[in-house]
Amino acid sequence: MICVGIEGTAHTIGVGIVDGTGKKCNVLSNIIKIYRPKQGGIHPREAANHHASYVADLIKESAEKAQVDFADIDLVSFSKGPGLGPCLRTAATAARALSLSLDKPIMGVNHCVAHLEIGRGTLDGCKDPVLLYTSGANTQITAFAEGKYRVFGETLDIGIGNCLDKFGRNMGFEFPCGPKIEELARKGKKYLELPYSIKGMDIAFSGLLTAAEQYHKKGQRLEDICYSMQETTFAALTEVTERAMAHTEKNEVLLGGGVASNKRLRNMVQIMAKERDAHFFAPSKDLCIDNGAMIAWLGLLMYNSGIRMKVEDSFIDQRFRTDMVDVSWRD
Ligand code: AMP
Ligand code: MG
């Protein structure tokens, strides 16, 4: 069975095609185009205009790359939420148009759940992980329990990626700023004390962001600030992930989201997993960031478990939470 997935929750418009004929997910193509604001953060309408101008070409390109005829497509999937309204509506509109023109079923899926399922679908041995999902807008620690992906911990304010991007933007770095911060952090020598805000199982980043900016005003080295930001935020994320693993008695940890490309974050989580005798998993970078293949794969899982969606019911949901989804495709 072949599914095309359209991702459009925020800065990225992505189209991926996957084959789910076997038990594992076979990614046939996965193309993305990122909206980069000239200045400031993401403007939802501008991002949506960007997505609208590229989505049709991406669908064609994705089919060519996958060497799939449109007639061979069995299902059209799209990111139903959570995300920015105008961006979600653009991806959903493209999916509806494609579904109607091909006369193939449509499926709206939860973006955060897709980040978890693509790990299970593509990585050998990844069966029941705790997911540490770290992206621009989202930061969540989730795991399967009693029919749902439960949120064990999450950010109380901004996402970790957003924290890094905001700091970087004020320093004049290009969006996305995570890679530049990682590069500078490698040259950091001195740890600067920053707020380590874990409240129960939840994390807050905005106080740390303010403190980091103050260090810059006081003339501290940028390398040391970036190093300290990474060490502090990643330690907090690793701590909550470890506690979720202990609580659920799971021995697999999976990374997802754009910040999971960061070598230091991977390294910290890897050490924690090793110390617990647990397995560490991280999808390839193109499947970690926002992408259409993960949307396609989750659409297939849902469709094959008997879930159906009519075009007239294919609404978007900006506040679509991970734990609102009934995970009927798992035991
Ligand atoms: P996503 O929203 O999942 O597509 O991820 C985008 C976020 O990942 C942005 O906030 C980026 O700054 C961040 N990011 C990308 N690469 C890195 C990296 N190497 N280190 C830290 N953050 C990163
Ligand atoms: Mg994401």
Side-chain angles (χ1 to χ4, degrees):
M1 203 176 167
I2 290 178
C3 178
V4 54
I6 305 178
E7 155 64 28
T9 52
H11 46 68
T12 297
I13 180 79
V15 179
I17 298 182
V18 306
D19 184 353
T21 308
K23 272 203 164 156
K24 280 281 170 188
C25 167
N26 183 12
V27 178
L28 303 178
S29 66
N30 196 20
I31 307 172
I32 61 163
K33 195 97 195 154
I34 301 177
Y35 156 76
R36 294 172 204 276
K38 285 194 191 73
Q39 63 180 66
I42 301 175
H43 188 298
R45 174 116 334 264
E46 279 177 19
N49 288 344
H50 165 272
H51 298 351
S53 62
Y54 285 108
V55 69
D57 285 344
L58 286 182
I59 292 169
K60 279 187 221 134
E61 211 182 308
S62 198
E64 273 165 27
K65 235 184 169 168
Q67 295 186 309
V68 160
D69 278 338
F70 280 113
D72 298 333
I73 291 169
D74 302 297
L75 178 70
V76 178
S77 180
F78 69 96
S79 51
K80 178 180 164 80
L84 303 170
C87 301
L88 292 171
R89 276 189 281 277
T90 303
T93 304
R96 287 178 203 125
L98 191 60
S99 158
L100 290 171
S101 69
L102 299 177
D103 196 20
K104 290 294 151 87
I106 193 166
M107 190 68 69
V109 313
N110 182 288
H111 174 95
C112 307
V113 173
H115 272 291
L116 196 145
E117 288 298 350
I118 196 65
R120 293 206 322 130
T122 56
L123 302 167
D124 281 337
C126 182
K127 295 193 180 86
D128 185 22
V130 168
L131 171 73
L132 170 57
Y133 169 36
T134 53
S135 74
N138 299 296
T139 299
Q140 279 186 347
I141 292 93
T142 60
F144 184 73
E146 293 179 18
K148 288 192 171 175
Y149 285 118
R150 313 274 169 184
V151 180
F152 286 89
E154 63 188 320
T155 177
L156 292 170
D157 44 34
I158 52 176
I160 172 65
N162 197 227
C163 171
L164 299 173
D165 290 337
K166 272 191 177 159
F167 178 79
R169 192 162 67 228
N170 291 340
M171 300 302 127
F173 307 160
E174 203 179 296
F175 176 85
C177 308
K180 178 76 184 166
I181 290 175
E182 180 174 18
E183 186 193 317
L184 289 168
R186 272 198 289 271
K187 296 178 204 138
K189 293 192 186 97
K190 187 168 78 175
Y191 178 76
L192 305 163
E193 199 82 31
L194 286 168
Y196 185 85
S197 310
I198 296 187
K199 301 176 186 190
M201 287 285 279
D202 295 327
I203 309 177
F205 296 113
S206 51
L208 175 142
L209 173 63
T210 308
E213 284 168 355
Q214 277 166 356
Y215 275 131
H216 181 251
K217 280 190 195 129
K218 286 182 200 152
Q220 293 284 354
R221 280 176 76 230
L222 209 44
E223 290 85 347
D224 292 333
I225 304 174
C226 292
Y227 165 72
S228 307
M229 283 182 87
Q230 284 199 173
E231 292 302 302
T232 314
T233 55
F234 295 172
L237 292 168
T238 307
E239 181 190 328
V240 175
T241 306
E242 178 167 26
R243 281 160 57 193
M245 289 173 77
H247 178 72
T248 56
E249 298 184 343
K250 294 192 196 285
N251 69 347
E252 294 170 23
V253 59
L254 170 70
L255 298 186
V259 186
S261 317
N262 188 291
K263 289 209 181 74
R264 181 58 181 144
L265 178 62
R266 285 181 179 232
N267 172 256
M268 260 197 216
V269 176
Q270 235 163 347
I271 293 169
M272 177 273 282
K274 198 161 173 232
E275 284 176 356
R276 299 184 58 77
D277 242 344
H279 302 282
F280 169 86
F281 297 98
S284 57
K285 195 180 161 198
D286 55 324
L287 294 175
C288 257
I289 57 176
D290 290 351
N291 68 90
M294 68 176 191
I295 301 299
W297 176 239
L298 178 53
L300 266 188
L301 290 174
M302 291 170 67
Y303 190 83
N304 286 337
S305 79
I307 298 169
R308 298 291 181 267
M309 185 177 275
K310 289 192 193 130
V311 169
E312 54 269 39
D313 298 328
S314 60
F315 309 115
I316 58 132
D317 182 353
Q318 292 179 67
R319 297 181 183 276
F320 191 13
R321 280 190 56 87
T322 308
D323 47 15
M324 285 160 72
V325 180
D326 283 320
V327 184
S328 53
W329 57 93
R330 278 186 68 160
D331 304 327

